[in-house]
Amino acid sequence: MRSMTTVTLILAALAAVCAAQEQSPPPLPEMKPVEILTQAKSALAGSGTIRARLVLTATYPMEYTSEIDIYSSPTGNERAEITSTQHESRYSALEVISEGILWTEQETPVGKVVSKIDMRQVKRALSEETSQFAAIPILGTNLLFDLGNLAQLIAFERSTSLLLDGEPYYVISGGPIDAIQSGKVTLPLGAIRYYSKARVLVRPGDFLPKRIELGDEDGKPALVLDFESIERNVEEPAGIFDYTPPEDAEVVDRTNWAIAQFNGA
């Protein structure tokens, strides 16, 4: 019998803990999904730069964990320092979204490799139906803080509330929108394409996310993104969103690849 991997054990333990911690009856006044999303949009309106720490645990389509420290600007600029663990190996990466361009810098055995995707060019090259999704920063976690943007990808149909670690949270759940499920729109750069169910725990005070879970048809989570801390209206360190590839790095322009992937190639 095949032994369970470390990440699988983590997910199993997480599910057991969640089941034990989630209590009923619902601890918060009833709100419909659209009401929660409206509150989330209003709460984020006029907000400045966000600094956050996220922990991602995934079992599908690949097993890994990532710790993410991020600055996210309301203009769409972003800087994320990522440390991932996969099969007992650790990897570091830097992702910067600056003026519509996504830069990704990674260490490899042969040196630093930098990829570049011009999202402005991607949007111009796509059909009207597909470009609406490229118009939101789906390559970055700006999308995750703004639940209104997330709702463009997930059809939230149900809502309730629960207690987690003694704290109350709203819960909205559903699945990918019809355009994604039918294959009319492909989102190869976003994890949502791999999953059938989605559940989001929402903080009742500021309506920012506490946890995002993506799972299979049975609702078993295969990807869990925990927001360990979120600070709003923080001061941006000078040049935090500036990026220049290192002189010794190989730079690969993946813009045309992104266009082909969005178009289902």
Side-chain angles (χ1 to χ4, degrees):
M1 181 176 179
R2 183 180 299 176
S3 62
M4 298 178 73
T5 65
T6 301
V7 175
T8 302
L9 288 170
I10 291 173
L11 263 290
L14 178 61
V17 170
C18 288
Q21 293 172 331
E22 295 172 9
Q23 303 171 22
S24 60
L28 294 171
E30 182 178 347
M31 291 185 71
K32 297 179 180 178
V34 65
E35 295 173 327
I36 295 173
L37 292 170
T38 299
Q39 288 286 345
K41 198 74 174 177
S42 298
L44 205 59
S47 180
T49 296
I50 291 174
R51 179 172 61 198
R53 180 171 179 79
L54 292 69
V55 175
L56 184 153
T57 306
T59 58
Y60 181 83
M62 62 183 69
E63 297 183 355
Y64 64 95
T65 59
S66 294
E67 298 174 351
I68 307 168
D69 292 293
I70 185 170
Y71 281 89
S72 177
S73 165
T75 63
N77 291 340
E78 178 180 298
R79 181 185 182 92
E81 298 180 5
I82 305 167
T83 301
S84 299
T85 302
Q86 185 177 29
H87 304 311
E88 300 183 354
S89 297
R90 291 177 65 84
Y91 308 89
S92 296
L94 172 65
E95 293 186 358
V96 178
I97 300 176
S98 180
E99 306 303 328
I101 296 178
L102 169 68
W103 299 93
T104 302
E105 178 183 308
Q106 294 179 301
E107 282 284 357
T108 73
V110 296
K112 289 184 178 180
V113 175
V114 176
S115 67
K116 170 187 176 183
I117 297 177
D118 188 332
M119 286 307 298
R120 299 163 301 184
Q121 185 177 339
V122 170
K123 182 184 174 183
R124 289 193 297 267
L126 299 182
S127 67
E128 181 177 350
E129 185 173 25
T130 303
S131 65
Q132 65 178 307
F133 301 105
I136 59 178
I138 63 171
L139 296 181
T141 48
N142 284 299
L143 169 67
L144 304 177
F145 298 119
D146 188 340
L147 295 179
N149 277 340
L150 191 60
Q152 294 187 49
L153 306 179
I154 299 171
F156 290 111
E157 300 170 342
R158 296 169 298 280
S159 61
T160 185
S161 60
L162 55 78
L163 288 176
L164 179 63
D165 294 332
E167 297 293 330
Y169 297 97
Y170 283 108
V171 182
I172 52 177
S173 57
I177 61 171
D178 289 342
I180 297 175
Q181 293 196 51
S182 65
K184 293 174 64 177
V185 170
T186 58
L187 297 177
L189 304 175
I192 189 66
R193 73 186 178 114
Y194 294 111
Y195 307 103
S196 301
K197 302 290 184 181
R199 189 174 83 149
V200 181
L201 275 64
V202 184
R203 306 185 333 188
D206 53 18
F207 289 87
L208 287 170
K210 169 63 177 176
R211 172 181 292 167
I212 295 176
E213 300 175 357
L214 300 178
D216 58 21
E217 188 64 36
D218 296 328
K220 181 181 178 181
L223 183 149
V224 177
L225 183 62
D226 281 305
F227 295 74
E228 290 199 337
S229 65
I230 303 178
E231 301 173 72
R232 299 170 59 186
N233 300 312
V234 301
E235 183 176 351
E236 294 178 6
I240 190 68
F241 301 120
D242 296 340
Y243 181 77
T244 301
E247 291 185 1
D248 59 343
E250 176 188 3
V251 179
V252 180
D253 192 327
R254 304 190 75 195
T255 302
N256 290 332
W257 170 87
I259 293 170
Q261 294 296 300
F262 268 103
N263 284 326

